[in-house]
Amino acid sequence: MYTVVLLIGRSKARALEHSFQVPYPGELSVSKPLRIVMVTSECVPYAKSGGLADVVGALPLALKNLGHEVIVVMPKYRSIKTDKFNIRPFLSPMGVWMGDTEEWCAVHKTKSSEGASVYFIESIKYFDRDDLYHDSEFNDFLDNPRRFAFLSRAALQLCKEIGFKPDIVHAHDWQAALAPAYLKVWHWDDPMLGDVASFLTIHNIGYQGVYDASHFDNIGLQWGNFTSEKLEDHGKVNFLKGGIHYADMVNTVSPTYADETRTPEMAHGLAPYLNNKGQNYVGILNGVDYAEWSPDVDALIPANFSQDDLSGKKSCKRELQKRFSLQEDEDIPLVGVVSRLAHQKGLDLLSNAIESILDNMFVQFVLLGSGDKDLERFFGHLPVRYPGRAGCFIGYSNELAHWIEAGADMFLMPSRYEPCGLNQIYSLKYGTLPVVRATGGLVDTVQQYDEISGSGTGFKFQEASAHAIYYSVGWAVSTYYDRRDHWDILVQNAMAQRFSWDDSAKEYEQAYRQAIKNKRAL
Ligand code: ADP
Ligand code: GLC
């Protein structure tokens, strides 16, 4: 390997920081460390609306531990706390050619304590807003297509500015899905980016970035790309569909969801395009950042505990009961929910079951979430109707999410579909038994309780209905009261589970290498 320093950045120091490494011919052996740029709209601890942020927060470190170099590029939203995370101005101005005009932005940078460099694209016009995707009324910003097209373009431009020649551009979800398209359509003859392979992760096929065709003019791709196998979808422009077409390799976040999304029922219209990818569409299960989500080290919960000593879990339950003004009684089973209140999560089904559950079972219930206004009103009112038995916090609170994982006895996820789901994996670690609908990643991560042998890690049901939720919660509650020996075994089994990022990162590495092969074969 020899190194060529490209002085295309704004200063020599910056160019030196990411020297452009040119491989000797034939040097690209299987073991060569990879350079990866992740393009994302969210990443913990900076900005988060869901599990995507957890994944992009943790995967780079696991890849780094395998010897790879990863940088992350994301927007600099108004809510990001620059001082807290030591985010500093890095490059200004940076011109980004959008096909119709050049737009200007600045770049800020921080280095996470463990090492992945994170670059923030600052654009007052596009990202200086309170929320990530929508206004306070939950209406999507009208310029979302242009905002996220700009993110993808800016990420590629940044690589050029700092002399970071990636082996892989890894785009996450529809917000970054145009990055593979830009690589192939715009950069095919670029000496630096022309041979770079692209990789798309679908975290949720329910969100595709579909817009009126008039927006096609704003994303800087020639109309020749507006065809039914590329970016056109029933007369509209579909970002995710475009990403699937242009990416050299596509994955989703669990093997079962990969299978499900090959079928018309579950793929929101994209099954034929995923099937067209053949072996180049795979499922890789998410891991968990156990430095954040493990009861023995969790700094946010009232008391720590472990498999060997569960006394701290009792304190967590008591404190949770206190916090929500529930009857303080360690013997009443407590059911917890932490979720976006979205159709995907099946909480409208729960709203049709929760009264029967609270009327007929001796249980307590706590929900943390926000989203759908009707569901916010319904669950927000529940504590008034069931004082001392139901608690609710409408909003976002990371601390409370940890408290519920730690203090509840069961964790309920009645999802209509679930690409992976992280909360059920967290809850396993906290000995909080998941009660889940058997779909997507919930199938892959929860083992069904067997009443004969006592084996398993939780309770799964098939049907997306209030009825099925009622009976499954009932099954878990009766196990809690009547088969306590089994309950205790299930808790031990659950806490012994490990969904490590180290294993998932190895699968990503393999998939990246396949993407590189695919790109070369073109
Ligand atoms: P999704 O990404 O579909 O929302 P996941 O289970 O993958 O579902 O991840 C959700 C993540 O967001 C978890 O880390 C969960 O704790 C967190 N989360 C969801 N809603 C809230 C909330 N209201 N407050 C705090 N954290 C939340
Ligand atoms: C999505 C999915 C969720 C998954 C997360 C992280 O938001 O809804 O199931 O765990 O992305 O991949």
Side-chain angles (χ1 to χ4, degrees), residues 50-55 173 201-204 207 253 286 340 344-345 413 417-424 441:
L52 160 65
D54 296 83
V55 170
D173 270 348
T201 296
I202 301 173
H203 293 266
N204 191 331
Y207 301 87
V253 288
N286 285 334
R340 290 183 293 115
Q344 169 196 352
K345 302 293 179 179
M413 285 179 76
Y417 71 93
E418 196 61 71
C420 179
L422 295 172
N423 277 120
Q424 83 284 4

Side-chain angles (χ1 to χ4, degrees), residues 299-362:
L300 297 175
I301 56 178
N304 292 112
F305 58 94
S306 66
Q307 245 181 298
D308 301 329
D309 178 6
L310 283 162
S311 54
K313 185 160 177 71
K314 286 188 183 169
S315 313
C316 289
K317 180 169 178 179
R318 204 171 38 248
E319 291 303 316
L320 186 62
Q321 289 173 323
K322 231 187 245 170
R323 190 157 171 176
F324 280 100
S325 307
L326 305 180
Q327 186 186 337
E328 287 170 46
D329 182 339
E330 69 177 56
D331 293 325
I332 305 177
L334 204 168
V335 183
V337 172
V338 179
S339 184
R340 290 183 293 115
L341 303 181
H343 184 253
Q344 169 196 352
K345 302 293 179 179
L347 295 169
D348 53 321
L349 304 173
L350 177 62
S351 74
N352 292 323
I354 191 66
E355 287 153 294
S356 312
I357 290 173
L358 287 167
D359 288 340
N360 298 320
M361 301 175 204
F362 199 43

